[in-house]
Amino acid sequence: MDTREFDLVVIGAGPGGYIAAIRGAQLGLKVACIEKETALGGTCLRVGCIPSKALLESSERFADAKHGLAAHGVLVSGVALDLPQMMKRKESIVRQLTNGVAGLFKKNGVTRFSGTGRLLAPGRVAVDGHEPTELTARHVIIATGSRVATLPGVAFDGDRIGTSTEALAYPSVPEHLIVIGAGVIGLELGSVWSRLGARVTVLEYLDRILPGTDDEIARLAQKALAKQGLSFQLGVRVTGARVEGESVIVEREGGEPVRADRVLVAIGRTPNVEGLGLEAVGLELDGRGRIPVDAHFETAVPGVFAIGDVIPGPMLAHKAEEDAVACVERLVTGYGHVDYDLVPNVVYTLPEVASVGQTEEALTRAGIPFRKGSFPFMANGRAKAFGVTNGLVKILAHAETDRILGVHILGPWAGELIAEATAAMTFGATAEDLARTCHAHPTLSEALKEAALAVDGRTLNL
Ligand code: FAD
Ligand code: NAD
């Protein structure tokens, strides 16, 4: 078997792996990146963030053309769905971005290996594939990501009972789609198919949607989504699902079985660690199947690091990228750090849900005194012009120091607005700092300024 020598070998080319490879090369390391799929970019670019956002955008345009334009005095008739074209557009965006990563590898001199990476020993990795190769390196980063979690009694058939990957490519609009799990994937993809005409029922185990999100915001989001046609059944334990002819029957504890023509299982994700050779280097997993690392992303085995979805922490693309940069910069420069308290979260529904920092519930539980300021988009001029006035901005600031501890937004472009809050919090801003920042008028961002003023009880436009 051919053996090649590198400074850094990265296993997996998702947002964690490809960014680690590029940053390593920028810092002068000789880098190899192993990816088992043909396209680079991982879950995020191939079957995650990017295709889901493409379909969210297209389906929103469709729903708007059908139901939203008349209020603007724009009359359209004969609006029809060309689902193959919608999918083609999505695939083209995915292709451009995954090819873009290949281009970035070339530009930065990262050597790509096609195949499955497997640890043989610390500093030695086998590439199993067409051309089996052995790579040696001082540093190895595991960035193998995650896959969908399974539910006992619910067997995926790759067609009627499937994961987000199938739901990103249904060949036709289901008449009735059952989504198991009212988390991010369930709500985003449930929204897509609901907008395209499906009846969507979301079955959730807990008594609320979007666990981890600020309670008030989650309740308002549920109301807004229900108004759009999503039907929620909370506190439901699904015990099984089976295909029967052209339908799927979903069994629930203590309830009648429900019939649908497709089921999307979206109950969370599980780290990809199988076949990685962790036992060969003596690496053990934590109770949730993740690879434990220290504050510098180093595993219990010196020289072996792990980042992204495969380690504890939020399973988000931007978090994986932050891990990557901090891990590699620390290797080369001695410094590198990610503040997990300031990783923003966005759910791309309509309205969007975005947050950073602590929730009201977490602050109360921790006994941290805080003041709260809210401002509704109903009182924001730009939101009125957009026609999306549902939702609010909520700022939580320390009662004594006024330092911003959490920002929670339900509203139009919340995913973009949260960046200002994240930047402010990164610089340790107080609510007063935000309140005294000049915001252009009319913009949605004025709602942030008003919420900051509201922390001190002095909103100007409410
Ligand atoms: P991944 O992106 O999963 O990449 C891991 C890569 O490693 C894969 O390409 C895999 O093929 C490869 N691999 C695995 N094992 C091996 C091996 N042994 N050898 C070689 N290669 C291997 N996050 C957001 O922040 N925003 C969003 O809007 C968002 N939307 C999402 C929508 C959906 C439908 C899904 C499923 C996820 C979404 N996520 C989103 C989550 C996001 O995709 C992940 O958090 C992110 O991709 C994690 O990056 P990663 O590099 O750790 O892993
Ligand atoms: P999730 O953790 O967001 O939500 C899973 C939901 O399923 C939870 O509400 C949970 O209570 C529920 N659930 C769990 N077991 C259940 C059961 N047996 N029956 C019914 N409900 C059950 O997970 P997800 O939506 O699958 O997303 C996976 C990951 O991908 C998340 O970590 C998320 O961060 C990431 N993601 C992010 C984005 C984004 O940033 N916009 C989009 C999609 C996915």
Side-chain angles (χ1 to χ4, degrees), residues 44 56 67 92 116 141 200 296 352 444:
C44 173
L56 277 156
H67 313 292
S92 152
T116 304
I141 297 180
V200 176
H296 307 301
E352 291 181 352
L444 297 169

Side-chain angles (χ1 to χ4, degrees), residues 11-17 34-37 41-44 46-49 52-53 115-117 143-146 164 185 188 269 272 276 307-309 315-318 320 348:
I11 309 177
I34 310 168
E35 171 57 54
K36 64 185 171 67
E37 297 287 339
T43 304
C44 173
R46 285 187 298 105
V47 288
C49 325
S52 58
K53 267 76 254 178
T116 304
T144 47
S146 64
S164 49
I185 292 181
E188 288 186 352
R269 294 179 63 84
N272 283 327
L276 253 181
I307 57 172
D309 278 12
M315 287 180 161
L316 295 170
H318 43 284
Y348 297 81

Side-chain angles (χ1 to χ4, degrees), residues 57-239:
E57 189 60 38
S58 297
S59 59
E60 196 179 321
R61 302 273 175 110
F62 176 69
D64 215 29
K66 268 204 121 164
H67 313 292
L69 292 181
H72 291 263
V74 181
L75 299 180
V76 286
S77 55
V79 175
L81 176 65
D82 181 352
L83 188 61
Q85 168 56 26
M86 200 176 275
M87 292 295 169
K88 229 163 91 186
R89 175 181 179 273
K90 172 207 72 177
E91 283 148 22
S92 152
I93 295 168
V94 167
R95 208 168 31 250
Q96 287 167 43
L97 292 175
T98 54
N99 287 343
V101 177
L104 289 171
F105 273 10
K106 229 179 230 153
K107 177 182 157 198
N108 288 283
V110 173
T111 308
R112 190 234 159 130
F113 287 86
S114 287
T116 304
R118 181 169 47 87
L119 290 158
L120 296 168
R124 282 179 54 213
V125 184
V127 184
D128 302 323
H130 272 319
E131 293 168 30
T133 315
E134 187 179 321
L135 311 182
T136 61
R138 214 152 25 102
H139 312 297
V140 175
I141 297 180
I142 300 170
T144 47
S146 64
R147 63 178 187 285
V148 72
T150 52
L151 188 56
V154 179
F156 294 121
D157 72 342
D159 181 22
R160 299 209 166 259
I161 304 179
T163 69
S164 49
T165 301
E166 285 78 40
L168 287 166
Y170 290 153
S172 57
V173 179
E175 208 174 291
H176 184 202
L177 169 66
I178 288 185
V179 177
I180 306 179
V184 198
I185 292 181
L187 299 189
E188 288 186 352
L189 293 180
S191 292
V192 165
W193 293 105
S194 164
R195 291 167 188 171
L196 297 181
R199 178 157 73 89
V200 176
T201 307
V202 185
L203 306 179
E204 165 62 47
Y205 180 67
L206 299 175
D207 60 358
R208 55 162 298 165
I209 69 167
L210 293 175
T213 306
D214 186 273
D215 281 0
E216 181 187 7
I217 297 279
R219 263 199 319 275
L220 291 171
Q222 183 183 338
K223 231 168 141 182
L225 292 170
K227 226 167 142 188
Q228 288 163 33
L230 267 74
S231 151
F232 291 97
Q233 295 184 15
L234 306 179
V236 171
R237 205 170 87 82
V238 172
T239 51

